Amino acid sequence: MMKRNTIQRSLVFEAVNKLKRHATADEIYEAIVKEHPHISRATVYRNLKLLSETGEIRKVEVPGGADRFDYRCHDHCHVKCEKCGWVFDVDMEYITGLEKNIKHNHGFSFTGYDILFRGICPDCQTSFEQHNG
């Protein structure tokens, strides 16, 4: 049983690394099922959860959208396109110590944060200009 789980986990890990684009669980499942038609959606979801809990991949929670999974585990910022919903890395120095600015912690012991910018990606800007130019 353990062996099978390890194989499935590495399939999921490889898919996240190959996609390299903050894919959703569904997109990761679709990529795997093409080559491994017998894998279940539940298995993919379970392994994404395990891989993000062990820190091998990073879960990026997107407000109002599906969680994304990132192959880059270090702290970094993201931007979500408001038109197509894709999530991209932002190339900037990660801001540490933001939690020190919190006035009242409401009893929380803070463990981290994700910074998500909003914007419109180049592809969506181009298609907007073509339709409205």
Side-chain angles (χ1 to χ4, degrees), residues 4-5 7-9 11-12 29 32 38-50:
R4 181 174 165 79
N5 286 348
I7 292 165
Q8 291 169 336
R9 192 161 314 139
L11 285 176
V12 172
Y29 168 74
I32 296 170
H38 300 300
I39 198 164
S40 75
R41 196 176 292 267
T43 297
V44 171
Y45 284 30
R46 188 176 60 251
N47 282 291
L48 284 168
K49 185 177 184 298
L50 285 168

Side-chain angles (χ1 to χ4, degrees), residues 31-95:
I32 296 170
V33 87
K34 280 180 193 150
E35 290 172 37
H36 304 275
H38 300 300
I39 198 164
S40 75
R41 196 176 292 267
T43 297
V44 171
Y45 284 30
R46 188 176 60 251
N47 282 291
L48 284 168
K49 185 177 184 298
L50 285 168
L51 287 164
S52 53
E53 283 169 357
T54 58
E56 292 170 80
I57 62 174
R58 183 179 187 130
K59 182 166 82 168
V60 181
E61 292 178 25
V62 179
D67 291 342
R68 307 278 175 154
F69 295 89
D70 195 349
Y71 66 102
R72 296 174 69 202
C73 294
H74 66 281
D75 287 336
H76 61 283
C77 302
H78 296 98
V79 60
K80 178 186 177 191
C81 177
E82 293 178 323
K83 297 268 185 244
C84 67
W86 274 45
V87 176
F88 305 84
D89 288 336
V90 174
D91 188 14
M92 67 177 265
E93 214 48 51
Y94 188 75
I95 304 160

